């Protein structure tokens, strides 16, 4: 991505009250997050292969934070309870399926917990994305989430909607549908409640 595009992206998010920071590596993002969040905070985690890659949850727990990550649950009931607690955590950290240079954050969700927390609840939200998630427009962000993120995420999670075989969205109503909620964040009331941490590496779907 060229320098002018990144400047445009930053400008377009900043005018929508969303902060943007750039990092060279995932490890540097992790170190920054572990220094940034005050120690007595509660931290919710929205599922993200990027965050899993850097073992963020276990590092937060080791440092003494109270962490709500459904991946720590032993069954579905406990998982739902953890997802609810994460909705009112002080901080929420997750990834995103696509961000656009024109200033939008686009996600699809199976149950809706992640997009809910991004929208409202936690005081601060950090969204970590690899450079492969950047597209130019909202339209292309939606195309990306439906045709790239959904099939790959469905496969990872063991679901089998039609896009897994077809590698494209056919707007299914399958019981295996993984994109029940489509969320577009176009701005924030509270300045810098959401921070986008963009990493100069390819990561996640
Ligand atoms: S609507 Fe169905 S086919 Fe389209 S992305 Fe979602 S799960 Fe896949």
């Amino acid at each position: 991505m060229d320098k002018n595009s990144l400047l445009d992206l930053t400008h377009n998010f900043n005018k929508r009250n969303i902060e943007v920071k750039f990092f060279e590596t995932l490890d540097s993002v992790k170190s920054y997050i572990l220094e940034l969040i005050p120690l007595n905070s509660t931290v919710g985690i929205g599922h993200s292969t990027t965050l899993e890659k850097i073992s963020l949850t276990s590092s937060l727990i080791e440092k003494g934070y109270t962490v709500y990550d459904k991946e720590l649950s032993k069954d579905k009931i406990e998982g739902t309870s953890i997802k609810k607690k994460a909705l009112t955590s002080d901080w929420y950290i997750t990834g995103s399926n696509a961000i656009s240079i024109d200033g939008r954050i686009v996600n699809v969700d199976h149950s809706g917990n992640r997009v809910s927390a991004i929208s409202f609840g936690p005081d601060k939200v950090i969204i970590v994305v690899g450079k492969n998630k950047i597209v130019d427009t909202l339209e292309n962000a939606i195309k990306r989430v439906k045709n790239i993120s959904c099939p790959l995420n469905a496969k990872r999670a063991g679901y089998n909607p039609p896009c897994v075989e077809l590698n494209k969205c056919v707007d299914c109503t399958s019981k295996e549908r993984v994109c029940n909620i489509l969320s577009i964040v176009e701005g924030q009331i509270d300045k810098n409640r959401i921070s986008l941490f963009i990493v100069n590496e390819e990561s996640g779907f």
Side-chain angles (χ1 to χ4, degrees):
M1 180 124 315
D2 64 76
K3 199 176 167 191
N4 283 341
S5 299
L6 294 179
L7 285 171
D8 284 348
L9 179 149
T10 304
H11 174 71
N12 288 330
F13 275 110
N14 287 169
K15 70 184 182 188
R16 293 163 186 268
N17 276 344
I18 294 170
E19 181 186 42
V20 179
K21 285 188 186 298
F22 293 97
F23 297 83
E24 273 307 307
T25 63
L26 280 170
D27 283 341
S28 59
V29 173
K30 180 176 169 179
S31 305
Y32 186 81
I33 289 172
L34 289 169
E35 286 303 310
L36 177 69
I37 299 180
L39 259 186
N40 56 354
S41 305
T42 56
V43 184
I45 301 289
H47 184 265
S48 153
T49 50
T50 296
L51 300 184
E52 275 184 356
K53 214 164 151 183
I54 53 174
S55 306
L56 185 65
T57 293
S58 52
S59 297
L60 287 164
I61 292 169
E62 270 167 33
K63 210 178 160 192
Y65 299 100
T66 303
V67 180
Y68 302 121
D69 180 346
K70 77 173 167 69
E71 301 303 321
L72 300 170
S73 63
K74 60 181 178 313
D75 55 34
K76 198 173 176 193
I77 293 171
E78 192 184 14
T80 302
S81 166
I82 289 174
K83 285 195 269 187
K84 286 182 180 177
K85 285 178 183 158
L87 290 176
T88 52
S89 56
D90 300 320
W91 291 73
Y92 192 80
I93 312 172
T94 188
S96 175
N97 301 125
I99 62 169
S100 58
I101 291 171
D102 63 12
R104 275 67 170 241
I105 302 166
V106 180
N107 286 298
V108 285
D109 238 2
H110 194 196
S111 63
N113 62 298
R114 182 176 64 131
V115 297
S116 297
I118 291 172
S119 301
F120 185 81
D123 296 324
K124 287 281 194 182
V125 176
I126 296 170
I127 298 178
V128 181
V129 289
K131 62 182 179 181
N132 52 314
K133 303 293 182 70
I134 302 173
V135 297
D136 49 0
T137 61
L138 170 62
E139 188 186 359
N140 284 334
I142 294 171
K143 276 188 192 155
R144 183 185 199 286
V145 302
K146 292 281 186 172
N147 296 292
I148 297 175
S149 309
C150 281
L152 293 172
N153 272 317
K155 200 168 176 185
R156 173 195 57 77
Y159 292 95
N160 191 29
C163 53
V164 170
E165 286 296 314
L166 300 170
N167 276 319
K168 65 171 186 180
C169 176
V170 290
D171 192 20
C172 75
T173 51
S174 160
K175 286 193 171 49
E176 305 271 306
R177 181 174 171 135
V178 290
C179 60
N180 292 312
I181 320 280
L182 171 66
S183 155
I184 304 166
V185 175
E186 301 204 89
Q188 287 288 283
I189 297 174
D190 297 325
K191 190 172 173 58
N192 297 346
R193 173 180 171 267
I194 294 183
S195 300
L196 269 181
F197 289 180
I198 299 174
V199 189
N200 194 21
E201 289 181 12
E202 304 225 340
S203 185
F205 319 128

